[in-house]
Amino acid sequence: MARLNWVAAGLALLPCVLAKRVELDWDITYVDANPDGQGGRRMIGVNNKWPPPAIHVNLDDTLVINAHNSLDEATSLHMHGFFQNGTNYYDGAVGVTECGIAPNSTYTYAVNVTQTGTYWIHSHFMGQYVDGLRAPLISHRPQEPYRYDEDITMMLEAWYRRESRDIHDQLLSTSEAVRTAPFRPYMLVNSVGGPDLNRTTLRFTPGKTYRLRLINVSGTGMVRFGIEQHTMQVIEVDGIDTEIKEVHSVQLAVGQRTSVLVTAKNSSDSNYVYHADIFTDIQSGVARAVLPFQSIVEYSPQAPLLNDTATNSTVDWDFFQDIDLVPIDKIPAPGVNKWVPLEVHTSIFDDYREHLAFNNRTYQTPVVPSLTTALTTGYQAYYEEVYGFKSYPVIVDAMENVEIAIFNKDVNSHPFHMHGNNFFVQVRGSLDKDPAKRKTSGSFPVRRDTITVPPQEYAIIRFVGDNPGIWLFHCHMEFHMEQGLALTFVVAPYRIIANTTLPDQYKRNCDLMGIPNAGNAMGRTGLDMAGDPRGPFPLSGF
Ligand SMILES: *[C@@H]1O[C@H](CO)[C@@H](O)[C@H](O)[C@H]1NC(C)=O
Ligand SMILES: *[C@@H]1O[C@H](CO)[C@@H](O)[C@H](O)[C@H]1NC(C)=O
Ligand SMILES: *[C@@H]1O[C@H](CO)[C@@H](O)[C@H](O)[C@H]1NC(C)=O
Ligand SMILES: *[C@@H]1O[C@H](CO)[C@@H](O)[C@H](O)[C@H]1NC(C)=O
Ligand SMILES: *[C@@H]1O[C@H](CO)[C@@H](O)[C@H](O)[C@H]1NC(C)=O
Ligand SMILES: *[C@@H]1O[C@H](CO)[C@@H](O)[C@H](O)[C@H]1NC(C)=O
Ligand SMILES: *[C@@H]1O[C@H](CO)[C@@H](O)[C@H](O)[C@H]1NC(C)=O
Ligand SMILES: *[C@@H]1O[C@H](CO)[C@@H](O)[C@H](O)[C@H]1NC(C)=O
Ligand SMILES: *[C@@H]1O[C@H](CO)[C@@H](O)[C@H](O)[C@H]1NC(C)=O
Ligand SMILES: *[C@@H]1O[C@H](CO)[C@@H](O)[C@H](O)[C@H]1NC(C)=O
Ligand SMILES: [Cu+2]
């Protein structure tokens, strides 16, 4: 029986090694691929292969990626969860921290690895990651806090047969009849899926302990993962090692990562079912599954499959909440100097399209990337106006402690991702102010870089403005971001200006695409913001 490469790729843990330079040449190319075995389509891969390879680095390595763009449109790479401290221009957010890599051009991303845990790398231009330009990015440390025998990455996503440009156009259509949810026939586990469950079998050896690194790289939706008759121990979320939390299942929103330890049974008498269902949201603690997915944990090819789903005794979907986790490094939450309340709405705007918005302001990429603006407008870089109304800039002073309250007034869950930092998860509660639903963190709140806020609930998070740069804060459901659910934190403009020298390649790529290398969001000087769009605005009555 063919061994899946992702199972065989479980790394034996290496002892402490000297910091090294990990240099990768990535030619970003269109590739025909057939992930569900049901007919292929054009995907975006690397060096004419799909899926792009997982990247493994060690703490203190330098990761260098020479990214060449062989597509017919711009592209970029974002290392999701890496703080890019001092290297804002390598954060990959097109329109914020770069112009994008022009077709036929190159951009070299270089970062000193200061964080460990489970991350991923993906394009941050339009829906290219949904078209396949994404891969796990795993950072190992010499001594992991927990012991395990094998390290397995499971990248989970919903698979679309259509290219993301089509889906974008469909969702942003002015016709309500066209704006239907795109079809997702299958779940992919490490880029394979489809009706043949053997393609996603997870093979366990009796007695071994596995670290499963679950990464949700979906375009939309939430995933819940569980193995029948196995408990799991959560040990990491979004790169932060936590104290052990025993669970039967975990749920992950797009962009989120959770590592669990699973101890295999001692006998290979039976095989079991694992689940990785997609659901849209959790209401009253009940998930609405839209795409159930099951595959097999195999101890022995000869053993019978115990299928608990058939007897209604499946996994206990005991939705644990991230706010209950305790990081092992025990950092107390900072105080608060700045308060940023954000209401989340979806509605039809006066351009007759459906947009999503923070405080009714729907994000639009400025003409000139916000980082260019910060570096070329002198003292005006301290004024929010200069970045453009639609890039929703929020200026944060150096070392200011920011508290963000996200009030989700929508009918869907949204996973919010912060670039350049992680945040402390302080409070969760419901908009109806039901005290039973309010939860506060302990003294050492969990920190993460992506938080889900269910519909009609709120979350309060805090971060410290200790990483000068311009950092996007957005819903990680790709299409929601394209529908405008994003804003930018402009952290410590004085320090950005004092300490940033843009790489030559940054400017060359802008030149190639005809994007000015100076000026405000409109490409003009000073506060001349003529033509800066304010709308569209929500049609009244939502
Ligand atoms: C890229 O370069 C190739 C070969 O030089 C050329 O044929 C192609 O038109 C170029 N593509 C773009 C988008 O400039
Ligand atoms: C990495 O660290 C070295 C040594 O401190 C420094 O010279 C180099 O500029 C850093 N590289 C990046 C990409 O930040
Ligand atoms: C897949 O599973 C079926 C039974 O469901 C089995 O007959 C077949 O041999 C398996 N194929 C592989 C490649 O393991
Ligand atoms: C990933 O997250 C999305 C959105 O938060 C969710 O809908 C989906 O079910 C999650 N899981 C998987 C496996 O895609
Ligand atoms: C497997 O056997 C070992 C040694 O007898 C025991 O400590 C462990 O609890 C057993 N594991 C399970 C999952 O039953
Ligand atoms: C388990 O049983 C359920 C219900 O009968 C069925 O839908 C599902 O396909 C089975 N799972 C596997 C992995 O065979
Ligand atoms: C499982 O639950 C479903 C729905 O409640 C029911 O129709 C079915 O008969 C149950 N099956 C078993 C084996 O109890
Ligand atoms: C957004 O617009 C709606 C409808 O016009 C209004 O009820 C709501 O108060 C607005 N929210 C904010 C934060 O401006
Ligand atoms: C960024 O680097 C500065 C200076 O070393 C440090 O004080 C700060 O904590 C760092 N912030 C993050 C988010 O890495
Ligand atoms: C620029 O960066 C250096 C090195 O991290 C730091 O010591 C210095 O304080 C920074 N300058 C400003 C104005 O923030
Ligand atoms: Cu969203």
Side-chain angles (χ1 to χ4, degrees):
M1 181 182 296
R3 284 226 132 205
L4 282 176
N5 58 2
W6 53 271
V7 174
L11 284 194
L13 288 188
L14 299 169
C16 179
V17 283
L18 288 177
K20 61 181 187 308
R21 186 180 160 91
V22 177
E23 184 160 354
L24 306 171
D25 291 320
W26 273 27
D27 184 18
I28 297 169
T29 53
Y30 295 111
V31 185
D32 285 323
N34 187 6
D36 65 359
Q38 300 290 296
R41 74 147 162 109
R42 188 175 82 158
M43 304 291 287
I44 301 178
V46 164
N47 300 334
N48 296 308
K49 292 201 179 73
W50 189 86
I55 300 175
H56 288 268
V57 292
N58 291 308
L59 182 63
D60 295 331
D61 284 354
T62 300
L63 173 62
V64 178
I65 305 176
N66 302 306
H68 183 264
N69 182 5
S70 294
L71 309 180
D72 58 12
E73 60 178 14
T75 190
S76 80
L77 293 174
H78 167 61
M79 298 176 203
H80 182 119
F82 273 26
F83 298 153
Q84 296 289 2
N85 199 340
T87 48
N88 194 198
Y89 38 75
Y90 293 145
D91 191 43
V94 172
V96 184
T97 56
E98 64 171 87
C99 293
I101 314 174
N104 274 357
S105 176
T106 298
Y107 196 50
T108 297
Y109 296 88
V111 57
N112 288 332
V113 178
T114 59
Q115 297 161 260
T116 58
T118 311
Y119 302 88
W120 56 304
I121 183 167
H122 63 83
S123 163
H124 216 298
F125 182 66
M126 296 305 287
Q128 289 177 348
Y129 89 76
V130 187
D131 289 329
L133 186 48
R134 78 287 175 283
L137 168 54
I138 312 294
S139 175
H140 302 272
R141 54 159 84 179
Q143 194 80 58
E144 296 285 350
Y146 300 105
R147 204 200 64 79
Y148 42 88
D149 304 303
E150 278 194 53
D151 188 341
I152 297 175
T153 300
M154 295 180 78
M155 195 168 60
L156 308 169
E157 74 204 289
W159 154 245
Y160 298 90
R161 288 242 173 85
R162 288 163 55 217
E163 292 194 20
S164 63
R165 283 276 177 179
D166 273 9
I167 299 171
H168 167 96
D169 292 349
Q170 173 180 328
L171 294 174
L172 278 155
S173 167
T174 52
S175 154
E176 190 179 351
V178 174
R179 285 193 299 266
T180 52
F183 180 55
R184 297 172 290 194
Y186 292 111
M187 279 285 305
L188 301 183
V189 180
N190 291 331
S191 306
V192 293
D196 182 1
L197 296 182
N198 316 15
R199 304 181 76 207
T200 43
T201 297
L202 195 54
R203 293 186 173 83
F204 277 8
T205 301
K208 278 195 173 178
T209 298
Y210 295 85
R211 176 183 189 157
L212 303 182
R213 298 177 187 262
L214 306 167
I215 312 180
N216 182 345
V217 304
S218 222
T220 57
M222 221 110 52
V223 121
R224 58 180 193 185
F225 178 85
I227 308 175
E228 292 181 354
Q229 300 192 29
H230 290 66
T231 55
M232 307 189 285
Q233 298 177 316
V234 174
I235 56 164
E236 179 217 342
V237 286
D238 297 359
I240 298 297
D241 296 313
T242 64
E243 290 180 356
I244 284 178
K245 169 95 182 159
E246 297 267 355
V247 297
H248 295 95
S249 63
V250 296
Q251 68 273 12
L252 297 119
V254 174
Q256 294 186 320
R257 294 86 66 203
T258 303
S259 283
V260 294
L261 295 182
V262 184
T263 301
K265 306 231 174 256
N266 281 335
S267 115
S268 51
D269 292 349
S270 310
N271 299 324
Y272 301 85
V273 174
Y274 78 82
H275 299 250
D277 303 327
I278 289 212
F279 59 96
T280 46
D281 59 54
I282 317 161
Q283 278 175 342
S284 316
V286 179
R288 292 191 297 175
V290 294
L291 182 55
F293 174 85
Q294 301 185 359
S295 189
I296 299 160
V297 171
E298 184 185 273
Y299 283 82
S300 158
Q302 282 76 44
L305 179 68
L306 280 189
N307 184 346
D308 291 343
T309 309
T311 56
N312 287 351
S313 57
T314 186
V315 172
D316 177 4
W317 298 113
D318 54 354
F319 290 100
F320 84 97
Q321 287 196 317
D322 50 12
I323 198 163
D324 296 332
L325 297 172
V326 179
I328 57 179
D329 63 2
K330 304 220 170 16
I331 301 176
V336 180
N337 310 122
K338 188 180 179 81
W339 156 249
V340 181
L342 300 174
E343 267 185 23
V344 176
H345 287 283
T346 302
S347 61
I348 305 301
F349 278 58
D350 57 13
D351 61 354
Y352 301 101
R353 298 180 204 280
E354 188 173 72
H355 292 282
L356 284 88
F358 285 128
N359 299 336
N360 292 338
R361 209 190 296 192
T362 183
Y363 183 86
Q364 186 178 307
T365 308
V367 173
V368 167
S370 303
L371 181 58
T372 303
T373 294
L375 295 173
T376 58
T377 50
Y379 70 90
Q380 277 150 344
Y382 300 87
Y383 298 143
E384 289 175 351
E385 298 92 292
V386 83
Y387 300 98
F389 182 78
K390 299 296 299 290
S391 77
Y392 203 147
V394 178
I395 307 257
V396 175
D397 289 336
M399 298 310 292
E400 202 167 30
N401 300 326
V402 182
E403 181 165 276
I404 308 172
I406 306 161
F407 302 99
N408 185 358
K409 301 200 166 178
D410 192 21
V411 296
N412 289 310
S413 288
H414 297 282
F416 297 98
H417 172 47
M418 171 166 279
H419 288 222
N421 223 319
N422 53 21
F423 44 76
F424 296 78
V425 181
Q426 301 285 126
V427 184
R428 283 181 173 281
S430 64
L431 296 184
D432 63 10
K433 301 198 180 78
D434 178 352
K437 292 188 196 148
R438 184 181 158 93
K439 274 200 153 184
T440 52
S441 65
S443 313
F444 308 109
V446 73
R447 307 190 303 285
R448 57 186 322 172
D449 59 52
T450 309
I451 185 170
T452 313
V453 187
Q456 302 302 316
E457 292 194 11
Y458 64 88
I460 298 179
I461 60 179
R462 290 184 193 168
F463 77 99
V464 180
D466 64 358
N467 186 6
I470 305 194
W471 306 111
L472 204 57
F473 181 77
H474 65 96
C475 177
H476 214 298
M477 297 225 214
E478 175 57 26
F479 302 109
H480 292 176
M481 172 157 161
E482 293 175 11
Q483 286 168 285
L485 197 47
L487 58 72
T488 44
F489 285 107
V490 180
V491 178
Y494 164 71
R495 291 178 193 271
I496 301 173
I497 295 165
N499 259 343
T500 310
T501 308
L502 291 178
D504 289 342
Q505 284 180 336
Y506 177 111
K507 298 180 199 163
R508 199 171 320 129
N509 278 300
C510 298
D511 283 340
L512 285 169
M513 289 186 288
I515 298 171
N517 268 308
N520 61 36
M522 296 306 295
R524 297 206 182 77
T525 54
L527 288 176
D528 172 9
M529 301 300 297
D532 184 28
R534 304 244 136 193
F537 298 103
L539 283 171
S540 56
F542 73 84

